[in-house]
Amino acid sequence: MIQVGVVGYGTIGKRVADAVVAQRDMEIVGVAKTSPNFEAEAAVSKGFDLYAAIEERRELFDEAGIPVAGDLDDLVSTADVIVDATPSGIGAQNREVYEAHDTPAIYQGGEDADVADTSFNARANFEDAVGADHVRVVSCNTTGLSRLLAPLREEYGVEKSRVTLVRRGGDPGQTGRGPIDDILPDPVSLPSHHGPDVKTIFPDIDIDTLGLKVPATLMHMHSVNVTLESDADAEEVRELLAEESRLFLIPEYAGIDGAGKLKQFALDAGRSRGDIWENCIWGESIAVRGNDLYLFQAIHQESDVVPENVDAIRAITDSASKAESIATTNETLGMGLGRTFER
């Protein structure tokens, strides 16, 4: 069993911990938090050993009556691998702790790419992370774009990608985020950071990205235009993408016209927290004009990187092949929303 420690038990960390528990080849040895909040209480109630991420703040846990098993050094020394799910910039600060214990670590997309030996997307470049010491799982949007572009590159070749990202203002629990009643170019200058981030997965790809931020919390939306290098038609592309295990092609008859109904569908399907690990692509939006492909996809920013973190654990520990890991992760998490509509 791979012994996994999770540093940062917030939006991503708590989901990764639950996903690790579902695996047959790994287990959680502890999670680290900086403050004794409701998520710390939830971690203890689930039976996870809780560690104080900042030694000087350990007394806050004592005052709150929340038991801790030790500090960050204790957790890192116990784990075979660390998943660092801390806010942007903190993972880079934590790296020296992981190195001091010779413990490999997985970081999130909020960190700069140079924090790690390689950026990671299971579908696109699993092998690059095998046996690495430091791996960065790319952001939710880059994960979604990498999953989409990988099969297109393999089947048709990609001459140019242009993506407009309509981004949620904040996650449901981020009460300090916005905008509240506005639509913001984010950033105003081009490109947004997403294109350069995709190039950490596909260094040779030609991609331009633009970003908008809107007063919503549910999901991101992508308007995608890809100029293909060879001929394709819309139905062929639908069939190609439908074969991808982490792409969900929404059938027209489902009546799912936006992020709200997607979340409702996920909850009705029994998904914990209403999580949607897959890209959600509207099948009828797929169109081809000449060599230009167009489509809309929605990305659940709180959860689509979770299966990627699980696969990164196997890659960094060299404990399974790409195909084996993806298949196991998909099975244990119950991925495949599209199966609901299969006859």
Side-chain angles (χ1 to χ4, degrees), residues 241-317:
L241 299 183
E243 291 297 315
E244 294 290 316
S245 64
R246 293 182 181 176
L247 304 182
F248 165 41
L249 264 64
I250 306 166
E252 185 173 1
Y253 72 84
I256 297 175
D257 58 6
K261 287 182 181 175
L262 275 172
K263 288 287 287 181
Q264 184 176 342
F265 172 49
L267 287 165
D268 289 346
R271 289 286 181 90
S272 174
R273 304 184 181 94
D275 285 347
I276 306 173
W277 304 299
E278 304 90 342
N279 295 29
C280 299
I281 301 171
W282 277 270
E284 70 266 33
S285 77
I286 297 173
V288 177
R289 300 290 184 271
N291 276 16
D292 280 316
L293 166 68
Y294 301 88
L295 60 82
F296 288 113
Q297 68 174 1
I299 302 296
H300 186 216
Q301 73 282 352
E302 295 178 285
S303 68
D304 79 327
V305 300
V306 171
E308 308 297 327
N309 274 270
V310 174
D311 291 329
I313 291 169
R314 294 196 182 95
I316 207 170
T317 57

Side-chain angles (χ1 to χ4, degrees), residues 210-266:
L210 303 85
L212 297 166
K213 188 182 290 188
V214 298
T217 64
L218 296 179
M219 301 179 77
H220 300 303
M221 195 74 69
H222 296 175
S223 174
V224 180
N225 166 219
V226 180
T227 302
L228 303 172
E229 291 180 346
S230 58
D231 293 340
D233 64 50
E235 187 55 37
E236 287 177 351
V237 174
R238 288 189 196 97
E239 292 175 0
L240 173 71
L241 299 183
E243 291 297 315
E244 294 290 316
S245 64
R246 293 182 181 176
L247 304 182
F248 165 41
L249 264 64
I250 306 166
E252 185 173 1
Y253 72 84
I256 297 175
D257 58 6
K261 287 182 181 175
L262 275 172
K263 288 287 287 181
Q264 184 176 342
F265 172 49

Side-chain angles (χ1 to χ4, degrees), residues 149 153 158 161 195 198-199 202-207:
L149 291 169
R153 282 165 55 90
V158 169
S161 302
V198 170
K199 290 177 75 70
F202 303 117
D204 61 341
I205 200 165
D206 188 358
I207 181 169

Side-chain angles (χ1 to χ4, degrees), residues 3-277:
Q3 307 294 297
V4 181
V6 176
V7 178
Y9 192 77
T11 299
I12 300 300
K14 64 188 178 185
R15 288 172 163 84
V16 170
D18 288 350
V20 167
V21 169
Q23 307 308 305
R24 296 182 289 268
D25 56 346
M26 57 186 76
E27 61 184 359
I28 293 291
V29 294
V31 302
K33 285 281 295 177
T34 59
S35 59
N37 64 1
F38 71 96
E39 289 165 327
E41 288 279 10
V44 172
S45 71
K46 289 188 175 186
F48 297 144
D49 285 342
L50 183 65
Y51 292 78
I54 301 174
E55 186 176 2
E56 293 76 16
R57 304 189 70 179
R58 181 169 180 168
E59 63 183 31
L60 298 179
F61 292 86
D62 296 334
E63 292 170 1
I66 298 177
V68 293
D71 58 23
L72 182 59
D73 279 285
D74 297 321
L75 174 58
V76 176
S77 66
T78 302
D80 295 327
V81 59
I82 290 290
V83 175
D84 188 300
T86 58
S88 300
I90 304 301
Q93 296 175 25
N94 289 340
R95 175 173 166 151
E96 65 181 29
V97 179
Y98 309 145
E99 289 182 325
H101 292 276
D102 198 25
T103 302
I106 297 162
Y107 307 87
Q108 305 309 305
E111 302 296 331
D112 291 338
D114 60 8
V115 75
D117 304 324
T118 185
S119 292
F120 179 86
N121 173 261
R123 173 62 177 83
N125 70 337
F126 183 99
E127 291 82 4
D128 290 351
V130 173
D133 293 321
H134 301 275
V135 170
R136 170 181 169 264
V137 172
V138 291
S139 72
C140 52
N141 283 308
T142 306
T143 292
L145 290 172
S146 298
R147 289 174 178 171
L148 173 65
L149 291 169
L152 294 175
R153 282 165 55 90
E154 293 167 5
E155 185 71 17
Y156 304 108
V158 169
E159 179 180 319
K160 175 79 175 183
S161 302
R162 306 167 188 86
V163 184
T164 299
L165 301 97
V166 182
R167 301 167 58 209
R168 57 88 180 102
D171 293 339
Q174 292 177 317
T175 54
R177 296 283 291 270
I180 295 175
D181 185 19
D182 208 345
I183 300 172
L184 305 177
D186 183 42
V188 175
S189 58
L190 275 66
S192 69
H193 71 271
H194 308 92
D197 203 27
V198 170
K199 290 177 75 70
T200 68
I201 300 294
F202 303 117
D204 61 341
I205 200 165
D206 188 358
I207 181 169
D208 290 334
T209 54
L210 303 85
L212 297 166
K213 188 182 290 188
V214 298
T217 64
L218 296 179
M219 301 179 77
H220 300 303
M221 195 74 69
H222 296 175
S223 174
V224 180
N225 166 219
V226 180
T227 302
L228 303 172
E229 291 180 346
S230 58
D231 293 340
D233 64 50
E235 187 55 37
E236 287 177 351
V237 174
R238 288 189 196 97
E239 292 175 0
L240 173 71
L241 299 183
E243 291 297 315
E244 294 290 316
S245 64
R246 293 182 181 176
L247 304 182
F248 165 41
L249 264 64
I250 306 166
E252 185 173 1
Y253 72 84
I256 297 175
D257 58 6
K261 287 182 181 175
L262 275 172
K263 288 287 287 181
Q264 184 176 342
F265 172 49
L267 287 165
D268 289 346
R271 289 286 181 90
S272 174
R273 304 184 181 94
D275 285 347
I276 306 173
W277 304 299

